[in-house]
Amino acid sequence: QVQLVESGGGLVQAGGSLRLSCAASGRAFSRSAMGWFRQAPGREREFVAHISDSGRSTYYADSVKARFTISRDNAKNTMYLQMNSLKPEDTAVYYCAAQVSQTYTYWGQGTQVTVSS
């Protein structure tokens, strides 16, 4: 069973930057595609970004494209989300997830990102 732990959230002013990290346990990390999701209060969980097991392929939601960058370091069992030009609407709890087949199966506990206007 894969365990995921997010970190790096916090309070930032609009236009600022944050880098989120997702530390994974288990040697299967390098074989798992990964993703970032977010959920604001009273809203559905929203897809943010996806990265293939090798890191060669990435995919972003239109709302964050050109502002966010997903990456991974398989040697460190860690995935990252670099967030630039943050907007108040980016405020949410951010979750990392690991994919089994085409289904996100394992989830972290989330880290809060708050962007003030």
Side-chain angles (χ1 to χ4, degrees):
Q1 193 169 15
V2 176
Q3 294 185 356
L4 306 172
V5 180
E6 302 95 335
S7 62
L11 175 64
V12 65
Q13 290 186 324
S17 298
L18 284 173
R19 189 181 75 158
L20 306 183
S21 298
C22 174
S25 64
R27 64 179 183 178
F29 174 80
S30 63
R31 299 180 181 179
S32 299
M34 304 282 290
W36 287 98
F37 293 76
R38 66 188 182 186
Q39 187 168 25
R43 298 185 63 184
E44 296 179 338
R45 184 168 296 186
E46 175 189 24
F47 168 78
V48 175
H50 172 92
I51 189 166
S52 64
D53 55 356
S54 66
R56 293 191 302 265
S57 179
T58 59
Y59 178 74
Y60 299 90
D62 288 343
S63 60
V64 306
K65 197 171 298 182
R67 298 189 299 120
F68 291 9
T69 302
I70 188 172
S71 62
R72 67 192 296 163
D73 186 340
N74 286 345
K76 296 181 178 179
N77 283 358
T78 304
M79 179 180 63
Y80 305 96
L81 185 68
Q82 178 67 46
M83 305 184 294
N84 298 324
S85 301
L86 283 162
K87 305 174 181 179
E89 50 263 45
D90 295 318
T91 295
V93 177
Y94 283 70
Y95 299 89
C96 67
Q99 197 174 73
V100 177
S101 297
Q102 289 189 312
T103 302
Y104 289 104
T105 303
Y106 301 102
W107 297 81
Q109 85 291 341
T111 186
Q112 177 71 47
V113 172
T114 303
V115 184
S116 62
S117 61

